[in-house]
Amino acid sequence: MRLVRLAQQPSRVADDIRAALASLGRGNTVVGGVALIGVSPPGFAQPVDAVVLLPRGVLIVVGVDLPDPAMRLHAPLTGQWKADGWPLVGTEDTVNPATEALATSEKIARHLRDTEPSTTTIGTIVAVGPYVEQVDQPPADLAGAVRVLHPTPTAMLAATVSLASASQPSTVVQARAMLAALAENAPALSDEVLAAEGFAPVLLAEPERTEPVDSPLHIIPPTVPAEHPPAKAKIVRTPPRTPPVAVANVRRPGPPPPPPQARPPQQGPQRHQSQQVQPPRQQPQAPAKPAFQLPKLPKLPPLMKDGKPVRWLPFAAVGLLLVLLVSAVLVASNQDGSEAAAPEQGPSQTTTAAPTGQNVDGMGFSQVAAEGGTQCTPHAFGDTKTVLETTPCSRLRRASFEVSVDGRRAAVTLAALDFPNAEQAETFKQFVDFPGNGGITDLAVETQRWTGRPPTFSGAAYASTGAQSSVLIAQACWLDGPSTSDDPGLGRAAKAGLTMQLPG
């Protein structure tokens, strides 16, 4: 992004805004565009902090100075702001400190659209300072085109990517027209400079329309080949293909051949339709022999006693056959059972399910829901969803727990994200750890598995950890009342949640 400084910025937080924009550097490697610092559009007596012309949108940056630094700022667009729980009171006409700044932004957007109708999407960044650690916006406000944040490089970059979302980039000609509409005294930028910042170099021209030239043949009426009824295709029935059979290996049923001297002499190979060798018919296969067969007993001579055969011998033979038959059946059944159980012994068949109840640091965790999958973006919200669209994770595991902390019921939500490499995981962790950048939706809230009123995780305590290419996020809030991020009980619950097992 290229910076063009025109005048002194009006707010005290202006230095942080300029530093955040300058950290992006020139060129379109990240976002591109031209930032006009301290610009005063025609008809505006007071300059604004910055107007950023991006290839896919326009951002109006207005600074709002708070009375004192704050750890946490609750900043609805149409309601009263609270800094660390204390309401910020202004004049009677202003609802919150950003009322006048938002009115100025709307006026600049209206002026820009009136003077240059080709302007793409327009967003607003309300930069608050001198310092705010965490900014909370209602979900309805985050779905719009206004972001309230402390102007750090990471927060400004995330808001820029989220708000500048036009489908087609503006051209160099459109960028120069918007610059002229905002600042008549801005230095002229060449086409090469604007193209280097991501603006399209030229507008694709429409193809020229050519009229058909009259030909002398146009007086001849067009002809169309007549449709003929399709001829009936001959159906050729061919026998199924079988491997070639050697004549010498074919055995035909019938009487044995005559002796050699009775055979007539062969008179050369003659083929006749009745003498063609047909492939042998497939005989029905006999049932497969069992794996175990009874041994054949040798034929013994009859046992004689006093010249008479012994009558009990057949009964003894039958008994011996029964014993052998029972032994063969037992051996076969044992082998069948071992073969059927063999696949269950492989390591790929074993899965470890997450326990439904655990006790960590004196707190009893009861699992409400657990799930794993490969889709990450659909389960994210806020600017985190935008980041995952450009840098998707490879796996997402989530779980929801109910925990008892000092006799009070609390909800703990966990989300573990795996990335292709450790660098992407570290970048995502730094982004999601910054307050106000969104996060991952609770699984039990999304699937409606909470009994009673579901938690909102507003003011929840936050904890995270990273290992190699994975990031684990935990949040804890009370189920029976409001929550604050600095609550010691919720902080212990969130940190203890990082030690819980997740599915997969």
Side-chain angles (χ1 to χ4, degrees):
M1 179 179 297
R2 178 178 291 268
L3 268 64
V4 178
R5 188 169 183 178
L6 302 175
Q8 186 69 28
Q9 295 168 273
S11 63
R12 291 184 297 170
V13 75
D15 293 338
D16 295 332
I17 296 174
R18 188 170 62 256
L21 295 175
S23 65
L24 299 176
R26 293 185 178 182
N28 62 346
T29 305
V30 181
V31 290
V34 179
L36 302 177
I37 305 298
V39 60
S40 298
F44 288 78
Q46 185 75 9
V48 294
D49 288 274
V51 177
V52 183
L53 302 181
L54 298 166
R56 297 182 182 272
V58 178
L59 295 184
I60 303 172
V61 184
V62 288
V64 173
D65 295 324
L66 302 178
D68 297 298
M71 296 298 296
R72 185 166 188 168
L73 176 66
H74 181 64
L77 298 180
T78 58
Q80 189 179 54
W81 286 13
K82 293 181 179 180
D84 297 331
W86 294 93
L88 297 178
V89 182
T91 61
E92 295 180 358
D93 298 334
T94 58
V95 179
N96 54 55
T99 303
E100 297 181 0
L102 292 176
T104 303
S105 174
E106 292 178 2
K107 187 177 179 181
I108 295 176
R110 188 164 51 250
H111 165 75
L112 192 56
R113 291 192 184 279
D114 292 341
T115 55
E116 183 54 39
S118 64
T119 304
T120 57
T121 58
I122 299 178
T124 302
I125 295 179
V126 179
V128 294
Y131 174 78
V132 178
E133 180 179 355
Q134 179 177 351
V135 179
D136 294 335
Q137 276 189 270
D141 294 347
L142 288 173
V146 180
R147 296 289 185 272
V148 182
L149 51 86
H150 180 64
T152 63
T154 304
M156 290 288 286
L157 175 59
T160 302
V161 174
S162 175
L163 296 177
S165 58
S167 58
Q168 295 293 333
S170 301
T171 63
V172 170
V173 177
Q174 293 172 335
R176 186 173 288 106
M178 288 187 288
L179 286 171
L182 291 171
E184 298 176 351
N185 58 341
L189 300 178
S190 63
D191 293 352
E192 291 76 10
V193 170
L194 295 176
E197 294 296 337
F199 295 99
V202 292
L203 183 63
L204 296 179
E206 295 183 358
E208 296 182 358
R209 298 181 180 179
T210 58
E211 298 294 336
V213 180
D214 292 338
S215 173
L217 300 178
H218 74 281
I219 59 175
I220 302 176
T223 59
V224 180
E227 295 183 358
H228 297 280
K232 294 184 178 180
K234 295 182 180 181
I235 301 177
V236 180
R237 302 183 181 274
T238 57
R241 298 183 61 183
T242 57
V245 182
V247 178
N249 294 335
V250 177
R251 293 184 179 181
R252 297 184 180 182
Q261 62 271 14
R263 292 184 180 179
Q266 297 182 358
Q267 300 179 1
Q270 295 181 358
R271 295 184 180 272
H272 193 272
Q273 183 176 2
S274 62
Q275 295 180 358
Q276 292 180 356
V277 178
Q278 300 291 336
R281 296 182 180 178
Q282 296 182 357
Q283 300 295 333
Q285 297 181 356
K289 295 183 179 181
F292 294 89
Q293 295 183 355
L294 297 178
K296 295 183 179 181
L297 299 177
K299 188 175 182 180
L300 300 176
L303 185 63
M304 306 294 291
K305 184 178 182 182
D306 298 334
K308 297 180 180 181
V310 179
R311 300 296 181 185
W312 52 265
L313 183 59
F315 301 99
V318 172
L320 179 59
L321 288 175
L322 290 176
V323 172
L324 294 175
L325 179 62
V326 171
S327 301
V329 170
L330 292 177
V331 172
S333 62
N334 289 337
Q335 288 196 358
D336 293 341
S338 62
E339 292 176 359
E344 298 181 1
Q345 298 175 1
S348 61
Q349 301 290 334
T350 60
T351 56
T352 304
T356 58
Q358 303 180 48
N359 191 292
V360 179
D361 196 15
M363 295 174 288
F365 283 79
S366 178
Q367 180 176 292
V368 180
E371 184 180 78
T374 57
Q375 297 295 327
C376 305
T377 306
H379 307 295
F381 64 90
D383 293 335
T384 300
K385 185 173 184 178
T386 304
V387 172
L388 289 177
E389 288 177 353
T390 57
T391 309
C393 67
S394 57
R395 185 174 63 157
L396 171 64
R397 294 168 293 160
R398 295 184 294 167
S400 304
F401 293 89
E402 181 177 336
V403 60
S404 177
V405 183
D406 300 332
R408 294 186 64 183
R409 295 171 57 243
V412 175
T413 179
L414 302 178
L417 299 92
D418 297 341
F419 291 87
N421 53 62
E423 183 180 357
Q424 294 180 0
E426 179 63 24
T427 302
F428 176 79
K429 184 179 182 301
Q430 293 179 0
F431 175 81
V432 77
D433 286 348
F434 191 83
N437 285 346
I440 306 298
T441 307
D442 176 58
L443 174 62
V445 172
E446 185 179 280
T447 56
Q448 300 180 357
R449 297 186 188 179
W450 286 104
T451 57
R453 185 176 181 181
T456 61
F457 291 96
S458 176
Y462 178 91
S464 69
T465 183
Q468 296 180 355
S469 60
S470 299
V471 179
L472 178 59
I473 303 170
Q475 287 182 285
C477 70
W478 297 117
L479 287 171
D480 54 359
S483 307
T484 56
S485 59
D486 55 352
D487 189 294
L490 295 178
R492 289 193 299 113
K495 292 180 180 179
L498 298 176
T499 63
M500 308 297 291
Q501 282 188 332
L502 293 176

